[in-house]
Amino acid sequence: MKIILLQDVKKLGKKGEIIEASDGYARNYILPQKLGVEANNKNLNDLKLQKKNEEKIARQLLEEAEALAEEIGKKPVVVSMKAGEGGKVFGSVSSKEIAAAMKAQNGQDIDKKKIQLNEPIRSFGTHEVGVKLHPQVTATLRVKVEEA
């Protein structure tokens, strides 16, 4: 019996896949648990429409992420830090501070978890930081650290 999976099923397949299952397994487990539906013409057509809709949404999210990446790359973010001995930064600039400065200065709310800092910024000057907006889009943000 051909089944369209509605959820991921271990050792069987992922959501949206069309699989071949024995009649007993399908009738007694997959269908009653609502893990899948029978692959008839109506359900196959619904699956096609659903996949088209998901592709459209994914394309739209990618375009929005690319537009945001361009906008992020245009304006640097200025972070003020206290200076310690010898003109070094007292402490370090974290992704949380960069996200807060970004919201205050540019009005863009970016999750601090998306900011990719290999190590905390511990010096004055301009630093380039990656911001992962989408699995395929990473923006480069210029962070200017000044003495307060």
Side-chain angles (χ1 to χ4, degrees):
M1 175 182 278
K2 288 194 181 258
I3 300 289
I4 299 172
L5 293 177
L6 299 176
Q7 298 178 14
D8 292 351
V9 180
K10 215 176 208 182
K11 297 183 182 178
L12 198 58
K14 297 198 179 275
K15 179 180 177 180
E17 287 183 357
I18 301 171
I19 58 147
E20 185 71 38
S22 67
D23 291 347
Y25 185 60
R27 272 195 309 264
N28 296 322
Y29 181 71
I30 295 174
L31 297 176
Q33 297 284 331
K34 306 235 188 290
L35 299 174
V37 292
E38 189 175 348
N40 57 24
N41 288 336
K42 179 195 176 294
N43 291 337
L44 287 171
N45 194 30
D46 289 346
L47 178 66
K48 283 181 187 176
L49 292 173
Q50 185 179 8
K51 284 189 177 184
K52 277 186 182 179
N53 189 32
E54 287 173 358
E55 288 174 7
K56 180 181 174 187
I57 291 170
R59 197 174 327 110
Q60 185 179 8
L61 289 174
L62 178 63
E63 290 172 1
E64 288 173 4
E66 288 172 345
L68 184 60
E70 281 184 37
E71 200 173 314
I72 286 174
K74 290 179 184 176
K75 300 177 188 174
V77 174
V78 180
V79 179
S80 298
M81 294 293 294
K82 291 183 180 178
E85 293 179 24
K88 289 189 175 183
V89 175
F90 186 73
S92 63
V93 179
S94 67
S95 59
K96 182 178 180 182
E97 293 167 331
I98 293 171
M102 184 78 171
K103 183 169 180 140
Q105 294 171 19
N106 298 342
Q108 296 167 331
D109 194 16
I110 294 178
D111 188 13
K112 68 179 181 177
K113 295 174 188 163
K114 294 183 179 184
I115 297 174
Q116 298 174 323
L117 279 176
N118 295 332
E119 54 191 48
I121 299 172
R122 292 193 168 101
S123 61
F124 292 114
T126 304
H127 304 276
E128 291 191 355
V129 176
V131 180
K132 191 157 181 92
L133 300 172
H134 188 271
Q136 299 171 354
V137 179
T138 302
T140 303
L141 174 65
R142 290 189 319 268
V143 178
K144 186 175 180 185
V145 182
E146 311 182 321
E147 191 171 341

